[in-house]
Amino acid sequence: MPWVVSVFLAVIICGGALLIGRAARAAAQPGTPERMRGALIMGVAAAIFIAWVGVHTALRSVKPIEAGHVGVVYQFGEIVGQKPEGLQFIWPWQDLRIESVQVQRYRFENITAFSQETQDVFFIATLNYSVSPAAVQTLFRTVGPRWFDRLIEPRVLNFFKEETVKYSTVDVGPNRENIRSAVRARLAAELAPFSIEINDLLIDNIEFSAEFKAAIEQKQIATQDALREQERVRQRQFEAQQQIELARGEAESIRVRAEGQAEANRLLSQSLTPEVIQFQALQKLGDNIQIALLPSGQGIILDPTTLLGQAGANR
């Protein structure tokens, strides 16, 4: 647009210079009265000035409106209309205020709220919103150009406070999505009458006071220490139980062996006879036995002399 203005002004200046030159030459012709010469030059200058003002006024009345925007027309401070996107014309005594109807983004850097225990909670959130093109004129008339500051910002700050206080401090993080959804729903419901649409609300970050974070860290450390101690206790209990089970196993093993030995002894005692005992005793004698002293009258079934004689024969 500035280049159009420059071209028109250049044309006016060049044309005016030519007209003034011609007027000066005509005024310099012999026989031209002095008074007529001055009037001719003044007339040409006035015509150039009027043409310049007309062109400037006409150019000022032509307003380009970018895509995704509308223009609210003011006349002597009063809203008298609205213009869509494109090249639009307004009267020279009118003004045009451009407003976006695209999806806009605003980042709230420091939303302060508090929990049930009155612990400070700090949010960073991003809001995406848009305005209905047909409603911009009404919004400007009823609320004003600063409708975002008056309608959206205070509600965002207040709704975050009202939703966060429903939770204890340690539950704020786990309920992040519940808080976000509740705030967004309330914003959408209260801003709908103004034709303001809440496209999305995102919670970028949640922070707590330094004191609370330090307390949480100490609690986590204490919890970890307690868990480690519980694990050591369980390990010692497991080891003690192992020893008990091992002792029970050994005792059971001894009992089983004793019962087995007792049963073997019982069976053995039932099968023993004097002859078997004597036979077992003879089996234990070495080959180099020369003399054997045996009690007499004890029912020995083998004659010792026979036994010794066999031993001598073996030599």
Side-chain angles (χ1 to χ4, degrees):
M1 196 64 185
W3 67 271
V4 177
V5 177
S6 301
V7 170
F8 271 97
L9 292 178
V11 170
I12 291 173
I13 292 173
C14 292
L18 291 175
L19 290 175
I20 292 174
R22 289 181 180 179
R25 286 194 296 272
Q29 293 292 331
T32 302
E34 187 68 27
R35 186 166 49 187
M36 184 178 293
R37 294 176 184 176
L40 183 60
I41 294 174
M42 290 296 295
V44 172
I48 293 173
F49 177 75
I50 292 172
W52 183 85
V53 171
V55 171
H56 179 73
T57 302
L59 293 177
R60 186 180 179 277
S61 299
V62 178
K63 299 292 185 180
I65 300 178
E66 297 181 0
H69 294 73
V70 297
V72 180
V73 182
Y74 286 81
Q75 180 173 291
F76 307 118
E78 178 188 4
I79 297 176
V80 296
Q82 182 173 308
K83 298 290 185 179
E85 59 187 39
L87 194 63
Q88 303 295 334
F89 175 82
I90 60 173
W91 295 108
W93 55 85
Q94 293 178 334
D95 293 320
L96 192 69
R97 184 186 290 271
I98 307 298
E99 180 68 26
S100 173
V101 292
Q102 298 173 329
V103 176
Q104 301 183 68
R105 173 180 177 272
Y106 188 86
R107 182 177 173 90
F108 293 87
E109 296 288 347
N110 188 16
I111 302 174
T112 303
F114 51 88
S115 64
Q116 287 179 346
E117 305 92 346
T118 66
Q119 286 285 345
D120 290 330
V121 184
F122 307 100
F123 293 92
I124 297 177
T126 299
L127 178 68
N128 294 334
Y129 64 96
S130 60
V131 184
S132 172
V136 173
Q137 182 182 169
T138 303
L139 186 62
F140 271 53
R141 182 178 286 110
T142 57
V143 182
R146 299 183 60 187
W147 53 268
F148 180 89
D149 299 335
R150 297 175 180 176
L151 295 179
I152 296 182
E153 184 173 9
R155 282 176 168 81
V156 170
L157 301 178
N158 187 56
F159 291 165
F160 265 101
K161 289 181 173 66
E162 293 180 357
E163 294 300 324
T164 305
V165 76
K166 297 177 181 179
Y167 303 97
S168 62
T169 310
V170 295
D171 291 333
V172 170
N175 287 279
R176 174 187 189 135
E177 178 59 24
N178 294 334
I179 295 173
R180 185 194 73 84
S181 300
V183 172
R184 176 180 175 178
R186 295 183 64 182
L187 285 173
E190 292 205 8
L191 296 175
F194 300 96
S195 297
I196 300 174
E197 180 181 357
I198 301 301
N199 303 102
D200 204 358
L201 174 67
L202 305 174
I203 296 179
D204 302 324
N205 192 32
I206 302 176
E207 284 289 343
F208 302 93
S209 64
E211 295 79 5
F212 178 76
K213 290 193 291 186
I216 290 296
E217 183 178 356
Q218 292 298 324
K219 182 178 179 180
Q220 290 177 341
I221 293 174
T223 301
Q224 292 174 356
D225 291 342
L227 290 175
R228 282 194 293 267
E229 184 61 29
Q230 291 177 2
E231 184 62 28
R232 285 194 291 267
V233 170
R234 283 195 295 267
Q235 181 64 27
R236 287 194 293 267
Q237 290 175 344
F238 177 75
E239 293 174 353
Q241 189 63 34
Q242 280 186 322
Q243 294 296 328
I244 293 173
E245 294 299 326
L246 181 61
R248 287 178 179 174
E250 292 179 351
E252 182 66 17
S253 177
I254 293 173
R255 186 187 64 80
V256 171
R257 287 199 302 270
E259 290 180 352
Q261 186 64 45
E263 179 65 17
N265 292 339
R266 185 183 64 80
L267 296 175
L268 183 61
S269 65
Q270 292 178 353
S271 63
L272 287 178
T273 63
E275 292 79 6
V276 172
I277 295 174
Q278 293 176 13
F279 177 76
Q280 291 292 333
L282 293 175
Q283 292 295 322
K284 298 298 183 180
L285 295 177
D287 294 338
N288 57 351
I289 295 299
Q290 299 294 322
I291 298 174
L293 299 177
L294 298 175
S296 61
Q298 297 298 320
I300 299 300
I301 60 176
L302 295 178
D303 186 358
T305 57
T306 306
L307 179 61
L308 293 176
Q310 291 177 353
N314 289 333
R315 287 197 303 270

